[in-house]
Each structure stands twice: as C-alpha cells, then as structure tokens.
Amino acid sequence: MHVLVVHNRYNSAQPSGENKVVDQEVELLRTAGHRVEVFERRSDDIAARSLLGKVAVPLLVPWNPAVRKELAARLRTERPDVVHVHNVFPLLSPAVLAACADAGVPAVATLHNYTQVCPPGTLQRDGRPCTECVGSAPLPAVRHGCYRNSRLATVPLAVSLSVNRRRWWSGVERFFCISAAQRDVLVRSGMPAERLAVKHNFVPEPGVRREGTGEHLLYLGRLAEAKGVRLLMAAWDEIAASGGVGVPLVIAGTGPLEREVTAWAVGRDDVRYVGLYDPAQCRQAIARSVAVVAPSTWLEAFGLVVVEAMAAGVPTVAAGHGAFVELVEDGVTGLLHQPGEAASLASCIRRIAAEQARNQEMGQAARRRYEQGFSPAVGLERLVDEYRTAIAGRSVLARGGDTHANRGDGDSR
C-alpha cells in the first residue's frame, strides 16, 4: 500500500505524544513493507520566519492556499492509495483536504484530541470540564481566551473550526478516534457516527520490563494544569504528612508548571524532579516504577503513558474518566481515582505501593492487556484494515459519480 502521511509537527521544545505516534506509525508501516511518504510542516520553523511571516501565521490557520496547491500537485504526481492526516495546526490548515479532493485521493484523519468541537482541543477551561462550544459556534472560546489564555490567539482556531466544519465532515472518509470515550463525545457533538472508527494507538515493545516491585512512583509527561500536576503535588503532600509510602516520587517532563514543580521538589528526599527524559530514559524509568501516575484533570482522548506502562508490566494509577476508564481495568491492571480529588489520588497511591503482591499481579495483567490490544502487530492490522475500508468507500462513491469531498463544497479557494 502507498500512504502519504500529513502532519504539522509540534514544537520540539515540548514533548509531544502526537509526534511520537506519527513517527511510530510511519516506522511500523515501512517495516511491514508499505510505501510511506510524509508531507509535513514544523512549528519550529516559525521562529526563522521574518517578522511579516510570523504575523501572517494566524491567517494561515483557517486556510493555507499554498499548501493546497503544493499537496495537490504532489498527489497527482505520486498517486498514493490514501492520505493519512494528523495535525494541521498551524501551518498546514484544512486546505490539505481540498488538495485530496482536487487529486481524487481518499483521506483519513486521526483525531488526537477534541479540536473538531473545541478550539484548543481540551474540553476544559480554568481547570474544569467545559463543553460550551460543543455543537455550536465557538464564540465562548474566544470570549474566555481558551487557547493560551488569549482571545487574540483563540480567534484563528475558532474561525477555522467554524468555516471548515463541513469540509472536515465531508472530506474525510474515516476518522480514527483513539478511544471509545473520545468517539462518544464527538458523536454527541453531531459528527457523522458512521465515519468515526475507534483505533487505539499502539506502543512498540519497550525492550525492558519491570523486575521486582519497583523503586519509585513515576509521573511522566507535560507539566501542565490539565495533566493533573498540581493535583499530584497536593496528593503527595498529604501522603508525606502521613509518613510516605517508602519510595520517592519521580517527576519527568517539562511545561508551563516547571518552575512551580522545581520549587516544590527542591530540598525534599521524597521527590525528584529530573527534567525532560529522552526515549531510552523514559523506558528505563517506567520499568523501574512501582506504578505510573496519570492524574489528568481533562478528558484524555487516549493516554500513551498508560499503555507504555502496560508494555513494561507496570500498573497505573489514573483518573477515572475519559479514555483512562477503558485503558485501565480498576483493581486488575491498575487503580482509578476520583477525578480532581487529591484525597482519592493519595489513597490509590498508598494502596498500590503497599500491596506488593497485588501490585505484581496487576503488572502482569497490564502486560497481557498490552499484548492483546496495543502491540505493534495489533496496531498494524487495525491501521491497514481502516485504510482499506476508506479506499473501498471512495471507490464505491466514485463508481456512483459522487464523492464526499465535493458534495456541498462550493469553495474554490
């Protein structure tokens, strides 16, 4: 199969699970013998633009005509079987869908978050769940400055969501939701249910698994409010006040709360802030964990670190909402705490650290869950099957003289 992957890479200064997923899928397909090429932009390149070029970036978010022209020309020349779209913000834009329609190539899209119904993609505001924009015009997002706490920065995202909603829904053969929880939200928002397939992300074999009971609790991810970092600090302070759990908490990552985390951890024997780990260090840190803690306050669409822990035979303590509910079987492969409640998180951490025999059983069950649902072999089979479904769907429509992409689309930009 010949696949063209379309992706706007996130800034390299911040760890990106989405970049990781894209790279792993490309490698998986190539290793299996498929021809895979990439059409991409990099957010890192914005810094090298002229002042005028930087000012123009927000104007490209809803529509980038140069991208449409460049991609359409490439598609006509290379004729891939399918285009797989990931992130198009900020430099690609939904113009990539028009390019696919121009060239008559079917498109599929992985939905890594909730940007189809929420401008910042988080379904959260001020640390609490928010669905004000779901199923309606995204004016509340602009009013509240939901993207980077800025009304001005939110406007391009809100405009793009409004003017391109129909283009997404008509121009994509199959949307890949990365969890059933995410799919449920999107169906309720009005997205076409028949085109929303659940395709979990896979995780490569880590090459290292836990031996023994572990030597630390681990938080691995972005240091941001939505990831539950402040909640974790409050829970850990409660644990420390009652005598601790016998192992330290290791926090690995970077993000907007880095200064706060650093100040909180300094001088403590029970906390180690280690900064940003490279992939090999991440795998080693997970394999040495009593448990991996994922206390997100927002509705995670997936939760890559949870599956990475499964692959290493390590249980997870995760928030009991969003995708975590389908990834973690409470009491079997890990523990689920009440979302947003520090006392519940602290209780689960104490329990998973104290019950060593049960912890070992949960780790083994987590590994079996990984092998059955999130291994490379499973990921490849599901991905190729979905490509074939999309290609077959477009072929049927083409024989009938119609396509999703050009129904109701009179935009000639």
Side-chain angles (χ1 to χ4, degrees):
M1 191 173 292
H2 182 186
V3 183
L4 181 68
V5 172
V6 173
H7 182 50
N8 192 126
R9 299 188 70 84
Y10 290 85
N11 194 306
S12 59
Q14 301 288 353
S16 166
E18 193 167 325
N19 284 349
K20 182 188 293 187
V21 167
V22 173
D23 293 341
Q24 288 173 348
E25 283 192 354
V26 167
E27 181 62 25
L28 180 72
L29 288 164
R30 285 174 174 167
T31 300
H34 299 285
R35 178 183 172 190
V36 184
E37 292 160 339
V38 178
F39 182 86
E40 68 178 16
R41 294 291 188 271
R42 296 173 177 265
S43 292
D44 286 348
D45 295 339
I46 295 174
R49 287 175 170 242
S50 66
L51 178 59
L52 185 60
K54 291 176 182 176
V55 170
V57 168
L59 302 177
L60 302 177
V61 171
W63 195 259
N64 189 331
V67 161
R68 176 180 184 173
K69 182 178 180 181
E70 180 184 348
L71 179 57
R74 182 167 171 181
L75 292 174
R76 290 188 181 106
T77 300
E78 299 180 4
R79 303 304 306 175
D81 298 306
V82 65
V83 172
H84 189 163
V85 180
H86 289 271
N87 175 48
V88 299
F89 173 80
L91 298 175
L92 286 171
S93 85
V96 300
L97 302 178
C100 293
D102 293 342
V105 178
V108 300
T110 295
L111 304 179
H112 294 272
N113 45 43
Y114 296 98
T115 51
Q116 291 289 320
V117 296
C118 167
T122 61
L123 290 181
Q124 186 178 61
R125 177 166 58 84
D126 298 330
R128 295 184 297 275
C130 175
T131 57
E132 281 193 60
C133 295
V134 175
S136 64
L139 295 177
V142 176
R143 185 168 66 249
H144 298 299
C146 289
Y147 180 64
R148 295 186 174 178
N149 295 314
S150 167
R151 293 177 179 175
L152 187 61
T154 305
V155 167
L157 286 162
V159 170
S160 183
L161 192 157
S162 297
V163 303
N164 290 305
R165 191 190 306 267
R166 282 188 173 275
R167 184 178 300 280
W168 277 106
W169 295 7
S170 64
V172 175
E173 292 292 327
R174 299 283 283 176
F175 290 100
F176 301 158
C177 299
I178 52 180
S179 67
Q182 181 196 34
R183 184 183 186 276
D184 289 344
V185 171
L186 297 175
V187 169
R188 289 197 302 270
S189 77
M191 288 190 69
E194 68 277 8
R195 292 195 218 154
L196 294 172
V198 176
K199 187 195 74 63
H200 292 129
N201 293 325
F202 80 95
V203 166
E205 281 284 352
V208 58
R209 298 189 205 174
R210 187 175 69 175
E211 298 178 1
T213 58
E215 60 192 50
H216 56 237
L217 276 299
L218 176 67
Y219 172 88
L220 177 64
R222 182 166 165 76
L223 304 185
E225 178 73 30
K227 293 294 186 179
V229 174
R230 287 198 176 110
L231 182 71
L232 176 58
M233 291 191 290
W236 194 257
D237 282 341
E238 181 181 322
I239 290 169
S242 62
V245 292
V247 294
L249 171 66
V250 172
I251 297 179
T254 187
L257 298 183
E258 183 172 358
R259 185 173 297 179
E260 184 176 334
V261 171
T262 301
W264 175 74
V266 69
R268 299 181 62 154
D269 294 331
D270 64 330
V271 179
R272 295 203 307 269
Y273 172 56
V274 296
L276 186 63
Y277 274 161
D278 64 30
Q281 290 173 316
C282 289
R283 290 190 292 270
Q284 289 292 335
I286 291 172
R288 294 198 301 268
S289 299
V290 173
V292 169
V293 185
S296 293
T297 58
W298 82 295
L299 297 175
E300 292 278 3
F302 187 64
L304 202 59
V305 71
V306 171
V307 182
E308 289 172 338
M310 288 181 186
V314 174
T316 306
V317 174
H321 61 177
F324 290 154
V325 175
E326 65 193 83
L327 297 181
V328 179
E329 187 175 356
D330 192 28
V332 178
T333 63
L335 298 176
L336 296 172
H337 71 85
Q338 289 296 319
E341 294 188 11
S344 176
L345 175 57
S347 176
C348 287
I349 290 174
R350 290 192 191 98
R351 179 181 163 193
I352 209 161
E355 301 173 2
Q356 292 189 2
R358 188 75 187 112
N359 183 299
Q360 290 280 70
E361 291 174 3
M362 286 192 288
Q364 292 164 4
R367 172 65 195 187
R368 290 193 295 272
R369 174 92 168 96
Y370 161 77
E371 292 170 350
Q372 293 164 2
F374 306 100
S375 68
V378 172
L380 178 65
E381 180 181 7
R382 290 177 178 169
L383 186 58
V384 173
D385 282 350
E386 289 297 340
Y387 287 163
R388 287 175 176 150
T389 299
I391 294 166
R394 173 55 64 92
S395 297
V396 169
L397 287 168
R399 286 197 298 271
D402 192 9
T403 67
H404 293 312
N406 55 34
R407 274 207 304 266
D409 180 8
D411 190 342
S412 60
R413 286 178 295 181

